[in-house]
Amino acid sequence: MRRTLYGEDHEAFRRTARDFLAKEVVPHFADWEKAGMPPREIFRALGDLGVMGLRIPEEYGGGGEPSFLYPAVWIEETAAAHVHLGGFNVHTNVVLPYFLGYADAEQRKRWLPGMASGETLAAIAMTEPGTGSDLAGIATTAERVGDHYVLNGSKTFITGGINADVVVVVARTGRTEDRRGGLTLLVVERGMAGFTRGTPFDKIGLKVQDTTDLFFDGVEVPVANRLGEEGAAFRYLTGNLPQERLHIAATALATAEAAVALTADYVTGRKVFGKPVSSFQNTRFELAACATEAAAGRALVDQALVSHDAGELTGVDAAKLKIFCTELQGRVVDRCLQLFGGYGYITESPIARMYADARVSRIYGGSTEVLKTIVAKSLGL
Ligand SMILES: Cc1cc2nc3c(=O)[nH]c(=O)nc-3n(C[C@H](O)[C@H](O)[C@H](O)COP(=O)(O)OP(=O)(O)OC[C@H]3O[C@@H](n4cnc5c(N)ncnc54)[C@H](O)[C@@H]3O)c2cc1C
């Protein structure tokens, strides 16, 4: 089906993205995988290209572009190039909205220019060793003492945790009857006394993404580093989760599409019993089934992108979208890998990487099970 959501400007941006990824990322990606993260220079290059701060207002050095369609194009091109960019998506599509939505004038002046140029990398720390899916169970505390908060606790699985210069930490500043109350967003900066990081986790996939523990031992965070109102974090998190889930769903779907294209190409060239693998009916049916699933996902993602730009994507919509696209990604990439035979199991083959990378999509940003509880609630269950 013809896609109708992009115009000529988006397609021009697509060409820029494709060109940049081919020149600046693809040739170095294997080295980055060995290093476990991309080099910092790539974020500055992305800043120069204008993609770090696409949605940051122009007065702070950004592109001033409110639409999510440009990030969506970037997501599609990154998947098509079989690469990813470490904490980039979290910086731009997950953390930035908190700064754009809740930073005051002084904070915007302080942080947004660096976030747009790629000098300042951002992460978000919600998950703790004792609580992941249940955000209301956050135990990291921030006690107000004069003009600062004293932060104690630890966070885990933090994307970009090694590279990050600013970390939006969700901390408990008070206790209310409602467990969701009393949570506050504090920006912890590189170099603050008592703030330390663990070593990067050795993950089964997403090798080019520094994911680690963060520790806060009596960190004095100035009140001037609080984003928004005290006690309002749960509301802020709930407000931004639809975009986080949209970006994960869009990435999952684009990866499934890339897997189908990659596999169609491989089976055409690979010969077994003297015939191309593509000549077997099973291969053709498997890929036809995968392409059909991906087409259904594409219709859903494109509609969600339009809804999100219109400010209409609800939490329930985003939950359904993420469940559908990430489960689809898992099925499609698995079926595609099968068609590669043994070569699909070798880590340096792109389909193997897609398979390993895909697994976490159903876990982070709200696991499939947790999202099903949101959808079930919307059904009155
Ligand atoms: C690579 C990676 C990057 C990440 N990046 C970040 C980041 O940048 N910032 C951040 O804050 N966090 C991050 N996370 C954490 C991620 O969001 C959590 O792992 C996720 O929310 C699940 O929490 P958990 O791991 O504690 O699992 P748990 O909450 O312990 O869940 C365990 C199992 O129980 C199931 N479950 C939980 N609740 C229910 C329920 N009500 N009904 C049925 N089943 C349920 C879950 O679906 C899961 O299968 C990342 C994780 C990974 C792996």
Side-chain angles (χ1 to χ4, degrees), residues 90 123-135 156-160 203 206 209 211 244 360 362-370 373:
V90 168
I124 183 150
M126 300 179 252
T127 308
E128 301 183 352
T131 196
S133 303
D134 179 17
L135 278 182
T156 192
F157 299 134
I158 306 309
T159 300
K203 308 184 294 306
L206 292 182
Q209 181 178 291
T211 310
E244 175 171 353
V360 77
R362 287 178 267 164
I363 298 171
Y364 65 14
S367 68
T368 293
E369 295 73 25
V370 167
T373 67

Side-chain angles (χ1 to χ4, degrees), residues 325-342:
C325 292
T326 58
E327 295 287 333
L328 181 158
Q329 176 193 24
R331 282 192 304 275
V332 165
V333 174
D334 183 55
R335 290 168 89 170
C336 285
L337 185 149
Q338 184 70 12
L339 298 174
F340 278 76

